[in-house]
Amino acid sequence: MNKGGHIGVFDSGFGGLTILRGIVKELPEYSYIYLGDNARAPYGNRSKELIYEFTKQAVDFLFTKGCELIILACNTASSEALHKIQQEYLPTKYPNKNVLGVLIPAAEYAVNVTKNNKVGVIATEGTVNSGTFVRELEKLSPKIKVVQQACPLLVPIVESGAVDSKATKLILEEYLAPLREQNIDTLILGCTHYGLLEKQIRDVLGNNVEVISEATCVPPKLGDYLTRHEEISKKLRRDRSVKFYSTDPTDKFITLGSEFYGEKVAVEKLTTLEY
Ligand code: DGL
């Protein structure tokens, strides 16, 4: 496994397994290493500086394990740390490698499907406050009006398994009301966990709003990227393997992680990240 040529997938915890699941389904031939930093999750309400430090450590770990390319399958890390990693860290430390995020694929998808140019984004506080979705969407189409809503209660709801409760319905109605008032026709689920609430969100929004999940739109974009970047894809190992690491592989990681990933995950504890 250490011989190199892997694709690394990183998340603050196990939410990124929903995205890995989509990627492995779309591109099964490659070799993947997943890292969930559960010991320090959630990232959603942490400072930008800390998210950058944690993400940098994860990137170091995955490159040390022989990854050629890393996907930050965490919206908070993608919006708070990716730009600096790409602009400042990679050029000096890993000039031949790359790190990609999940926001741009979702933004590109949204710009293609919206008809009235009103796009909603729901995400963690960190992602919303960074303004990264707004910048990326406006860069793709200056006509777009973006309505953002931070939903800090949704990650704990998904992690507690309460997705179908009455309380969850009320909370979703409250969070989604401002987006409905603004008449959005497209909603980006800008957090790894929200795909697990997709049905409940659709029930509140009705059929006229297109709901975009990253587990669906990131994998084909990764495939396009690998086709365009032969200098990376030719170095990738094609042995159909997936290895999981976590900084705190509790029973919950195994149970919920297996649910998120769609099959049982065997996870190894990682002790090398600094605290
Ligand atoms: N993975 C995070 C995200 O997509 C959600 C969980 C967290 O806050 O760490 O933003």
Side-chain angles (χ1 to χ4, degrees):
M1 196 67 188
N2 276 333
K3 286 185 197 136
H6 315 291
I7 297 177
V9 177
F10 169 65
D11 181 42
S12 56
F14 39 66
L17 288 166
T18 55
I19 294 174
L20 178 66
R21 177 183 188 168
I23 292 176
V24 173
K25 192 166 169 227
E26 176 94 13
L27 304 164
E29 65 271 37
Y30 295 111
S31 167
Y32 297 93
I33 301 184
Y34 182 87
L35 169 61
D37 190 9
N38 300 75
R40 303 187 293 195
Y43 281 15
N45 47 8
R46 289 195 185 273
S47 71
K48 190 178 174 72
E49 293 69 30
L50 208 55
I51 293 165
Y52 176 69
E53 278 311 312
F54 289 174
T55 307
K56 208 167 59 156
Q57 290 168 8
V59 162
D60 281 336
F61 171 76
L62 288 167
F63 282 145
T64 307
K65 281 279 170 203
C67 292
E68 285 300 327
L69 173 71
I70 296 171
I71 318 300
L72 299 186
C74 172
N75 290 264
T76 309
S78 294
S79 46
E80 297 275 52
L82 179 64
H83 185 74
K84 198 166 167 193
I85 283 180
Q86 286 176 334
Q87 299 300 312
E88 296 174 21
Y89 197 53
L90 295 185
T92 50
K93 205 149 177 220
Y94 307 101
N96 300 320
K97 305 205 180 204
N98 205 357
V99 179
L100 305 173
V102 287
L103 270 67
I104 293 178
E108 286 175 346
Y109 200 90
V111 166
N112 281 334
V113 299
T114 180
K115 292 191 177 66
N116 71 0
N117 289 316
K118 291 186 183 163
V119 174
V121 175
I122 55 173
T124 63
E125 280 170 320
T127 300
V128 165
N129 293 339
S130 75
T132 311
F133 263 119
V134 179
R135 277 194 298 282
E136 294 300 344
L137 284 159
E138 289 177 353
K139 219 191 284 171
L140 290 166
S141 169
K143 285 182 292 188
I144 297 277
K145 176 172 168 21
V146 186
V147 189
Q148 295 199 99
Q149 175 69 49
C151 304
L153 293 176
L154 297 189
V155 167
I157 284 174
V158 170
E159 295 198 356
S160 67
V163 292
D164 277 320
S165 72
K166 281 190 191 139
T168 301
K169 190 167 187 297
L170 288 175
I171 289 165
L172 282 175
E173 277 167 1
E174 177 95 12
Y175 279 149
L176 297 171
L179 306 174
R180 295 173 75 179
E181 275 159 28
Q182 295 291 320
N183 197 26
I184 59 155
D185 74 349
T186 305
L187 176 72
I188 295 176
L189 304 182
C191 172
T192 46
H193 287 56
Y194 300 176
L196 278 291
L197 285 163
E198 190 171 333
K199 182 190 165 295
Q200 291 74 7
I201 290 169
R202 282 182 194 277
D203 286 349
V204 173
L205 290 178
N207 292 333
N208 296 333
V209 177
E210 180 90 24
V211 177
I212 297 176
S213 147
E214 289 166 344
T216 315
C217 61
V218 169
K221 293 283 179 190
L222 176 60
D224 291 348
Y225 177 88
L226 293 175
T227 308
R228 282 184 284 113
H229 292 270
E230 216 189 297
E231 75 287 0
I232 292 185
S233 58
K234 72 175 186 226
K235 289 192 225 155
L236 294 178
R237 172 178 300 271
R238 286 160 169 82
D239 67 0
R240 296 178 173 260
S241 62
V242 188
K243 187 160 176 51
F244 302 91
Y245 288 94
S246 164
T247 50
D248 191 19
T250 54
D251 288 349
K252 189 171 167 189
F253 184 98
I254 315 247
T255 319
L256 264 185
S258 302
E259 192 188 315
F260 280 30
Y261 187 60
E263 59 185 85
K264 194 155 174 53
V265 297
V267 58
E268 202 169 299
K269 183 166 169 58
L270 154 81
T271 45
T272 54
L273 294 191
E274 288 165 24
Y275 290 90

